Amino acid sequence: MALAAIKGDRTVAELASQVGVHPNQIYNWKKHLLDGAASVFEGGPVAEGTASEAQVAVLYRQIGQLKVENDFLARRLGK
């Protein structure tokens, strides 16, 4: 999806509706791809460690966002 967003053939809104995610998620994926693209061509453990740490940070952020959304929905459904 990030690659499709970079190509610009379709809008971010179209891509987001295609996969069922919020457009901000597409923007996050695109930013992550652009920030980490250079490290793909760099070798060595430093590049791998940095990419891994960045990926873990993104995943923790997504987990936090999903937890907030789940808590919100649980409160709404409980009423």
Side-chain angles (χ1 to χ4, degrees):
M1 283 295 110
L3 199 52
I6 291 171
K7 282 183 180 180
D9 294 340
R10 291 180 280 164
T11 66
V12 172
E14 290 172 339
L15 294 171
S17 67
Q18 177 185 350
V19 293
V21 298
H22 194 276
N24 286 344
Q25 185 62 49
I26 303 287
Y27 285 117
N28 287 340
W29 288 336
K30 180 180 173 181
K31 182 182 182 312
H32 190 261
L33 176 63
L34 292 174
D35 290 345
S39 67
V40 170
F41 299 103
E42 298 171 357
V46 175
E48 291 174 11
T50 304
S52 177
E53 291 173 13
Q55 185 177 20
V56 168
V58 168
L59 292 173
Y60 275 124
R61 200 169 339 135
Q62 289 175 350
I63 289 170
Q65 180 181 355
L66 291 171
K67 175 142 178 48
V68 168
E69 291 172 2
N70 283 339
D71 291 345
F72 173 79
L73 292 173
R75 278 185 274 137
R76 285 292 193 188
L77 292 174
K79 289 185 176 181

